[in-house]
């Protein structure tokens, strides 16, 4: 976050939209910097304004289990020896005993994760209740970040789980006055697959932040500003322009990152170049 530059205006716009849009998709092609934009840009800015609990998860090949494990960890973080239960424990029979703060390892924890994962697939709206409970119990605002949500479809072959978790994510926050927000990043070519989750998912997809092609001056700032912050500079002023000319601005960030890292590893610590 300390060396994240190049998208300040887009970060500002996203923060402002989150005030009224509880669920937001950050969309763009692979390699455009969606994860960095959210984690080093948006989340860092949110935390400057107020305390937040951030739950980061990637779907992987077991999205329901991963989401359930993250929720249980968040519930248990402040529990001590006291048992915490979700807000629906007294009203939803199938959720009884899902979350126990006294268990952190072994078979009991695995059983909890599997039970909660099944609830999330059977009742996608349940995710919203769990996030609300975390916010209430820990007296913090909660942000669920689902990074690379396309993994729902590329790494998991269970159609029912795909649709259920897509719905759970898009239904996890619906009131701007509530202390819960959801951001998910998704490759632009998977928006259609997300929309297959039904009308409510398609409604959530109306709230989209599209990461556009970076301008030349933005790429220069991305390369130069982090060095300036730590008192370094490029030894050849033309090198930055040569690097930018050599990549596609839309998808060239990973290559620029690799090159900049390689140059940094061979820096002159005396001359600071």
């Amino acid at each position: 976050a300390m060396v994240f530059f190049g998208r300040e205006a887009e970060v500002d716009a996203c923060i402002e939209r989150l005030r009224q849009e509880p669920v937001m998709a950050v969309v763009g092609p692979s390699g455009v910097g969606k994860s960095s934009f959210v984690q080093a840009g948006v989340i860092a800015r949110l935390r400057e304004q107020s305390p937040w609990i951030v739950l980061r998860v990637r779907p992987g090949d077991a999205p329901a289990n991963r989401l359930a494990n993250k929720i249980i960890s968040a519930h248990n973080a402040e529990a001590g020896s006291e048992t915490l239960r979700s807000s629906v424990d007294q009203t939803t029979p199938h959720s009884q005993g899902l979350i126990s703060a006294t268990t952190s390892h072994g078979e009991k924890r695995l059983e909890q994760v599997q039970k909660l994962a099944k609830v999330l697939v059977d009742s996608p709206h349940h995710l919203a209740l769990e996030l609300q409970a975390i916010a209430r119990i820990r007296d913090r605002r909660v942000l669920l970040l689902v990074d690379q949500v396309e993994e729902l479809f590329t790494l998991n072959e269970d159609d029912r789980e795909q649709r259920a978790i897509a719905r759970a994510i898009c239904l996890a926050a619906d009131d701007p006055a509530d202390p819960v927000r959801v951001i998910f990043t998704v490759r632009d070519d998977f928006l259609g697959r997300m929309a297959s989750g039904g009308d409510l998912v398609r409604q959530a997809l109306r709230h989209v932040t599209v990461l556009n092609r970076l301008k030349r001056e933005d790429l220069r700032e991305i390369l130069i500003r982090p060095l300036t912050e730590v008192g370094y500079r490029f030894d050849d002023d033309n090198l930055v322009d040569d690097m930018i000319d050599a990549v596609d601005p839309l998808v060239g960030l990973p290559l620029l990152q690799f090159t900049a890292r390689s140059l940094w590893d061979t820096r002159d610590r005396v001359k600071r170049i």
Side-chain angles (χ1 to χ4, degrees), residues 40 52 110-111 121 132 156 168 178 264:
W52 284 80
L110 179 60
E111 180 182 353
V121 173
Q132 290 283 351
N156 175 51
D178 286 343
W264 176 254

Side-chain angles (χ1 to χ4, degrees), residues 41-99:
V42 174
I43 290 176
R45 189 73 59 81
L46 287 174
R47 282 178 159 163
E48 290 175 358
Q49 300 174 358
S50 61
W52 284 80
I53 298 169
V54 178
L55 310 183
R56 298 181 180 89
V57 62
R58 282 179 55 175
D61 59 356
N65 278 18
R66 287 194 174 198
L67 194 52
N69 186 59
K70 188 66 65 172
I71 291 168
I72 290 172
S73 295
H75 272 288
N76 290 346
E78 296 287 335
S81 60
E82 179 184 359
T83 296
L84 290 180
R85 299 188 185 277
S86 67
S87 60
V88 296
D89 277 351
Q90 289 76 38
T91 58
T92 309
H94 63 222
S95 68
Q96 288 289 338
L98 288 180
I99 297 171

Side-chain angles (χ1 to χ4, degrees), residues 11 56 65-66 83 90 107 109 125 142 152 156 186 195 203 205 219 222-223 238 245 258 268:
V11 169
R56 298 181 180 89
N65 278 18
R66 287 194 174 198
T83 296
Q90 289 76 38
E107 293 182 0
R109 172 59 176 258
H125 69 278
V142 173
L152 276 176
N156 175 51
V186 58
Q203 182 176 350
L205 290 175
L219 291 173
I222 287 170
L223 289 170
N238 295 320
D245 289 339
F258 173 80
D268 187 323

Side-chain angles (χ1 to χ4, degrees), residues 70-264:
K70 188 66 65 172
I71 291 168
I72 290 172
S73 295
H75 272 288
N76 290 346
E78 296 287 335
S81 60
E82 179 184 359
T83 296
L84 290 180
R85 299 188 185 277
S86 67
S87 60
V88 296
D89 277 351
Q90 289 76 38
T91 58
T92 309
H94 63 222
S95 68
Q96 288 289 338
L98 288 180
I99 297 171
S100 172
T102 61
T103 302
S104 59
H105 301 290
E107 293 182 0
K108 182 65 175 178
R109 172 59 176 258
L110 179 60
E111 180 182 353
Q112 287 182 315
V113 169
Q114 291 174 338
K115 285 184 177 180
L116 181 54
K118 184 178 185 303
V119 172
L120 294 175
V121 173
D122 292 342
S123 304
H125 69 278
H126 186 86
L127 177 59
L129 300 177
E130 294 289 355
L131 296 177
Q132 290 283 351
I134 293 168
R136 185 185 69 254
I137 293 169
R138 297 183 58 182
D139 193 25
R140 292 287 188 275
R141 306 191 76 182
V142 173
L143 172 66
L144 173 64
L145 167 59
V146 185
D147 198 14
Q148 300 187 36
V149 82
E150 64 269 10
E151 289 183 354
L152 276 176
F153 313 104
T154 60
L155 299 181
N156 175 51
E157 297 181 354
D158 187 330
D159 290 342
R160 181 169 179 264
E161 187 173 9
Q162 290 173 3
R163 291 192 298 271
I165 299 304
R167 284 175 58 82
I169 293 168
C170 292
L171 296 173
D174 61 3
D175 187 344
D178 286 343
V180 176
R181 293 294 184 270
V182 177
I183 299 177
F184 60 92
T185 69
V186 58
R187 273 171 35 193
D188 49 9
D189 50 336
F190 278 89
L191 274 177
R193 294 289 298 276
M194 279 293 292
S196 67
D199 291 341
L200 292 174
V201 174
R202 286 191 287 273
Q203 182 176 350
L205 290 175
R206 288 191 236 166
H207 307 302
V208 171
T209 292
V210 178
L211 290 193
N212 296 310
R213 180 188 299 267
L214 284 161
K215 299 177 182 178
R216 188 179 189 86
E217 55 268 30
D218 296 328
L219 291 173
R220 285 184 59 84
E221 187 176 31
I222 287 170
L223 289 170
I224 294 173
R225 285 285 299 279
L227 290 180
T228 304
E229 291 294 313
V230 294
Y232 276 76
R233 62 179 177 82
F234 283 95
D235 60 343
D236 182 352
D237 291 337
N238 295 320
L239 183 57
V240 173
D241 290 321
D242 292 342
M243 291 168 63
I244 293 172
D245 289 339
V247 300
D248 180 344
L250 186 60
V251 294
L253 283 179
L255 181 57
L256 286 175
Q257 179 183 22
F258 173 80
T259 305
R261 179 72 205 193
S262 298
L263 292 171
W264 176 254

